[in-house]
């Protein structure tokens, strides 16, 4: 695939100002309707995002990104680590800065581009929250098609907080526990069978969720 990017050379998300002349007005309007708005990072639309953008370079993505095919019995953590380290810190920093600047309430982190380091996103978002006067929470979704899963719960009593907390790895608030769904019945059944392996992983603060149902989407009206 030819190199393309939704970021500039400084790692900032590039906004189509013809379609979105004022992103802040968009989120404020949603908030006036008592709605919340999430952004979509590391996305799969048209091009698998490479960051930062490098001019006059083609096919860089296909050369550097590891293959998506996964061997039988693969370890999701290892698969994730193989994709990490391709994007520099400025790309994560630019995304998180824009997330707060434009007033978004949450973010979906997909697995198509170079920014696969969920720990880095999580740390930057928490750091930004701690410095924000609004102390605004950001809802984080890990959408890695059921390939990236949290550790099993590890509840430990924290005397400083006088409460039991979960120390297990889960740098997100909810996570996709299934592959992408398609507008046919076998796809729905495949997903229901697939997610059985994750029993016991979903819990408060680290919720599993399935892909959305495809209602009214398909090649013909029968779907």
């Amino acid at each position: 695939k030819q190199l393309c990017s939704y970021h500039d050379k400084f790692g900032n998300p590039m906004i189509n100002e013809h379609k979105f002349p004022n992103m802040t007005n968009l989120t404020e309007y949603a908030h006036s309707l008592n709605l919340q708005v999430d952004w979509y990072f590391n996305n799969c639309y048209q091009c698998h995002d490479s960051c930062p953008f490098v001019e006059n370079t083609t096919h860089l993505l296909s050369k550097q990104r590891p293959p998506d095919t996964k061997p039988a019995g693969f370890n999701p953590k290892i698969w994730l680590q193989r994709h990490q380290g391709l994007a520099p810190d400025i790309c994560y920093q630019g995304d998180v800065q824009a997330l707060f600047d434009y007033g978004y309430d949450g973010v979906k982190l997909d697995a198509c581009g170079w920014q696969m380091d969920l720990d880095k996103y999580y740390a930057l978002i928490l750091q930004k929250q701690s410095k924000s006067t609004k102390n605004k929470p950001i809802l984080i979704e890990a959408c890695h098609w059921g390939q990236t899963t949290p550790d099993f719960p590890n509840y430990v009593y924290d005397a400083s907080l006088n409460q039991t907390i979960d120390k297990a790895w889960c740098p997100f608030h909810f996570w996709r526990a299934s592959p992408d769904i398609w507008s046919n019945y076998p796809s729905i059944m495949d997903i229901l069978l697939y997610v059985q392996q994750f029993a016991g992983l979903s819990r408060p603060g680290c919720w599993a969720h399935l892909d959305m149902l495809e209602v009214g989407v398909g090649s013909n009206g029968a779907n």
Side-chain angles (χ1 to χ4, degrees), residues 183 214-223:
S183 55
E214 296 274 344
V215 178
V217 178
S219 58
N220 58 68
N223 290 322

Side-chain angles (χ1 to χ4, degrees), residues 91-109:
C91 302
Y92 295 93
Q93 294 163 356
D95 279 354
V96 172
Q97 184 66 49
L99 191 69
F100 281 82
D101 286 347
Y102 294 133
Y104 281 91
D105 305 289
V107 61
K108 170 182 175 176
L109 303 175

Side-chain angles (χ1 to χ4, degrees), residues 17-69:
E17 295 184 351
H18 293 289
K19 293 184 176 181
F20 304 99
N22 192 313
M23 194 76 83
T24 305
N25 283 354
L26 173 68
T27 57
E28 289 179 349
Y29 177 68
H31 295 156
S32 73
L33 301 175
N34 293 320
L35 299 174
Q36 293 186 327
V37 191
D38 292 359
W39 209 345
Y40 179 21
F41 287 164
N42 207 38
N43 68 72
C44 307
Y45 179 69
Q46 291 187 345
C47 74
H48 292 182
D49 192 17
S50 57
C51 179
F53 177 73
V54 182
E55 295 185 26
N56 302 321
T57 306
T58 59
H59 304 296
L60 181 62
L61 183 60
S62 61
K63 290 181 180 179
Q64 292 195 9
R65 179 184 166 97
D68 286 332
T69 55

Side-chain angles (χ1 to χ4, degrees), residues 12 30 35 53 60 65 83 85 89 96 107 126 135 139 169 187-188 196 208 219:
N12 300 308
L35 299 174
F53 177 73
L60 181 62
R65 179 184 166 97
H83 287 68
D89 287 351
V96 172
V107 61
L126 290 184
N135 194 28
L139 188 65
W169 185 82
S187 173
I188 296 173
Q196 295 181 65
S219 58

Side-chain angles (χ1 to χ4, degrees), residues 65-186:
R65 179 184 166 97
D68 286 332
T69 55
K70 307 171 188 66
F74 76 98
N75 184 319
K77 293 282 185 60
I78 294 175
W79 179 79
L80 175 65
Q81 290 167 1
R82 289 174 62 238
H83 287 68
Q84 290 178 355
L86 296 178
D89 287 351
I90 58 172
C91 302
Y92 295 93
Q93 294 163 356
D95 279 354
V96 172
Q97 184 66 49
L99 191 69
F100 281 82
D101 286 347
Y102 294 133
Y104 281 91
D105 305 289
V107 61
K108 170 182 175 176
L109 303 175
D110 214 325
C112 288
W114 290 3
Q115 293 164 257
M116 296 287 291
D117 194 330
L118 297 174
D119 290 300
K120 188 168 292 184
Y121 266 127
Y122 187 72
L124 286 170
I125 289 174
L126 290 184
Q127 183 183 61
K128 194 71 178 174
Q129 284 177 331
S130 68
K131 295 180 179 180
S132 174
T133 55
K134 297 180 180 179
N135 194 28
K136 179 180 179 178
I138 298 291
L139 188 65
I140 304 171
E141 174 194 357
C143 179
H144 287 185
W145 322 309
Q147 311 298 344
T148 301
T149 59
D151 289 339
F152 278 95
N154 179 25
Y155 295 110
V156 177
Y157 177 74
D158 189 320
S160 64
L161 299 175
N162 192 28
Q163 64 182 29
T164 299
I165 60 175
D166 186 1
K167 290 282 190 177
W169 185 82
C170 185
F172 33 81
H173 301 111
F174 62 118
W175 49 282
R176 173 86 78 78
S178 76
D180 287 346
I181 196 171
W182 301 99
S183 55
N184 59 71
Y185 188 70

